[in-house]
Amino acid sequence: MITFPNAKINLGLYVTGKRDDGFHNIESIFYPVPFRDAFEVIESDHFSFECEGMQVTNNPEDNLCVKAYRLLQTIFDLPPVNMFLLKNIPAGAGLGGGSSDAAFALKALNDLFKLNLSVGILTNYASILGSDCPFFITNYPSYVFGRGELMEAVDIDLTGIYLVIVCPGIHIPTVDAYQNIKSFSTLRIPMPHQVLRDKYSGNQGHNAS
């Protein structure tokens, strides 16, 4: 089974405070964009994981695709699989590539082994793997809050608008980025779905996911 995990962009980002659990509260709008990795998983008699393209970790067990498999394996006693990831989305760029890989791995495993997991259950499992992971289960423009795992779908369509994504080759781990925040925003995104719908009301059609 082959699938193509996509990246996302943030339409605004407010970091509003640090939580007691060490995470940060945010408010943002996540929007899916057609910049993709490629992920394949097949049933096998032994487990393997191979990654080509941009390397993100030397230890396969640290990869979020593998973590997604281990999570479902523990719960459903899954058989071994061979996993292959072609990594195109840069890590440490705020594009959610690893989170997308994890979410798409969950969905692929759900389909491959006919687990019949609902979107809600997949979303709950995704939240265990990472704050951004739940977004990629539905993969629809969303207003996100909490640590990023809470979402409300928003009716925003950027079809016909050109997006230029530039990666300067700088890797910034998410943990480091948040730890270096010195002050927090007191602003809130006012009715984000209405603000952006008004701004892009002339654009109709499907979102660029």
Side-chain angles (χ1 to χ4, degrees):
M1 179 171 292
I2 301 176
T3 189
F4 299 94
N6 59 273
K8 57 87 176 168
I9 57 173
N10 292 53
L11 301 179
L13 174 62
Y14 293 101
V15 182
T16 59
K18 190 170 183 178
R19 300 152 51 111
D20 292 339
D21 59 9
F23 289 94
H24 288 75
N25 283 320
I26 68 167
E27 294 185 35
S28 184
I29 292 180
F30 288 177
Y31 192 90
V33 293
F35 179 22
R36 298 183 174 91
D37 291 339
F39 173 74
E40 182 178 19
V41 58
I42 59 173
E43 188 173 350
S44 179
D45 59 359
H46 67 284
F47 174 80
S48 69
F49 174 78
E50 182 180 355
C51 181
E52 293 187 4
M54 296 184 175
Q55 293 296 319
V56 292
T57 177
N58 293 323
N59 182 358
E61 295 297 326
D62 290 334
N63 187 276
L64 282 170
C65 294
V66 177
K67 290 184 176 182
Y69 167 71
R70 295 300 185 201
L71 175 62
L72 294 185
Q73 181 189 37
T74 300
I75 299 169
F76 298 102
D77 193 27
L78 299 184
V81 296
N82 295 153
M83 307 173 84
F84 174 78
L85 177 65
L86 176 60
K87 194 69 186 156
N88 298 314
I89 303 171
L95 296 172
S99 298
S100 182
D101 294 339
F104 274 74
L106 288 175
K107 292 189 285 188
L109 291 163
N110 182 44
D111 291 342
L112 178 63
F113 293 111
K114 297 178 172 58
L115 301 178
N116 297 316
L117 301 176
S118 68
V119 169
I121 292 175
L122 285 170
T123 299
N124 288 338
Y125 288 154
S127 69
I128 297 173
L129 298 171
S131 298
D132 291 356
C133 295
F135 166 75
F136 291 102
I137 296 295
T138 54
N139 212 23
Y140 189 84
S142 299
Y143 167 59
V144 303
F145 52 102
R147 60 183 172 90
E149 86 285 13
L150 304 175
M151 300 174 293
E152 296 177 5
V154 293
D155 187 17
I156 300 170
D157 188 350
L158 302 185
T159 301
I161 295 176
Y162 288 93
L163 302 174
V164 178
I165 299 175
V166 178
C167 180
I170 300 172
H171 178 275
I172 303 175
T174 302
V175 172
D176 291 351
Y178 280 108
Q179 284 181 346
N180 281 282
I181 295 175
K182 304 304 181 184
S183 62
F184 301 108
S185 174
T186 58
L187 299 175
R188 295 295 184 271
I189 301 177
M191 301 298 288
H193 55 296
Q194 293 183 8
V195 172
L196 289 172
R197 185 187 298 130
D198 291 345
K199 183 174 179 60
Y200 299 112
S201 59
N203 298 287
Q204 305 296 325
H206 299 289
N207 69 75
S209 59

